[in-house]
Amino acid sequence: MSRALFAGGATAAILASLLAAQNASAVNHTPPDKITIDIATVNGSGCRPGSAAVAVSEDNTAFTVTYSEYLAKVGVGANPTDFRKNCQLNLVVHVPQGFTYAVASADYRGFASLQSGATAMQKASYYFQGSPDTAARNHPFKGPLDDNWQASDSTEWGQLVWAPCGVKRNFNINTEVRVNAGTSDPKKTTSFMTMDSTDGDINTVYRLAWKECEES
């Protein structure tokens, strides 16, 4: 599956919290030209083909991934493999010449219904194709819980992993949702965690940081 989405961009301030911490001579604007993000591949039990979409913000500072099927569960009505769902997105980011980017933060949202004693975890990792640098984050949850959830990953400016200048490298995002029955009774109850929505309102937002490439 390959899906291209386009967004016209204009010079704009990126994440205020990052800008306040960075040196004044560093990055303070996004590329003036539009960027394009193609989904090269999408694989995983939580994002079968056709169930994930990517859209780029108009100011080039973020992109959003929307899932229509992404649910892990244990207990009554669950199959043995349903306790863990995952998704790997392999994205081709077409960057305007002279610029590079990094993912500065990500916000994940969903819904969880966990029985008392049950636990869950949301995990994500990010890396550029061919790069040894992998950033991984995980967020635990525990029952009783029956509510929307949100988890955020962020990276300090000095720790950002930038895409190589002048080289096309696919960007990989691996996400995972896992549910464990724990001390709850899986023969009588059901616990689940989702990163999707029937109305499409649940999504994941990735915020981008930009800087101009240094001339060699």
Side-chain angles (χ1 to χ4, degrees):
M1 170 187 174
S2 179
R3 187 178 305 185
L5 298 102
F6 303 93
T11 300
I14 60 176
L15 300 173
S17 60
L18 290 174
L19 289 175
Q22 72 184 42
N23 186 285
S25 63
V27 183
N28 60 9
H29 64 278
T30 57
D33 300 323
K34 68 183 180 181
I35 64 171
T36 305
I37 294 181
D38 299 334
I39 301 179
T41 59
V42 52
N43 295 297
S45 54
C47 58
R48 67 179 182 84
S51 67
V54 179
V56 184
S57 67
E58 292 184 358
D59 61 4
N60 285 353
T61 63
F63 64 91
T64 301
V65 181
T66 302
Y67 301 98
S68 60
E69 301 175 5
Y70 204 145
L71 182 148
K73 63 180 178 179
V74 294
V76 179
N79 294 319
T81 58
D82 286 345
F83 77 98
R84 176 184 178 272
K85 297 294 181 179
N86 76 296
C87 181
Q88 176 169 323
L89 292 173
N90 187 293
L91 305 177
V92 181
V93 182
H94 301 279
V95 181
Q97 186 175 2
F99 283 85
T100 184
Y101 74 97
V103 172
S105 68
D107 293 330
Y108 297 89
R109 297 180 179 87
F111 184 85
S113 179
L114 304 177
Q115 299 295 320
S116 179
T119 61
M121 180 188 69
Q122 183 271 331
K123 181 179 180 181
S125 60
Y126 320 89
Y127 64 95
F128 290 101
Q129 179 183 18
S131 172
D133 298 320
T134 301
R137 306 285 189 275
N138 63 76
H139 302 276
F141 300 84
K142 64 179 181 179
L145 176 64
D146 190 38
D147 202 353
N148 294 317
W149 63 268
Q150 178 174 338
S152 298
D153 298 339
S154 61
T155 304
E156 295 295 331
W157 187 264
Q159 301 300 315
L160 290 175
V161 178
W162 299 93
C165 284
V167 180
K168 286 188 176 181
R169 295 283 178 84
N170 289 9
F171 183 63
N172 292 275
I173 303 172
N174 294 327
T175 57
E176 175 183 333
V177 171
R178 185 187 297 258
V179 179
N180 191 312
T183 58
S184 67
D185 189 347
K187 295 181 179 180
K188 298 180 180 180
T189 64
T190 301
S191 292
F192 68 87
M193 186 173 184
T194 178
M195 200 153 69
D196 71 348
S197 175
T198 55
D199 58 11
D201 286 341
I202 302 300
N203 51 42
T204 301
V205 178
Y206 297 88
R207 294 180 179 83
L208 301 176
W210 292 92
K211 72 176 181 179
E212 292 187 49
C213 293
E214 297 181 1
E215 295 184 2
S216 56

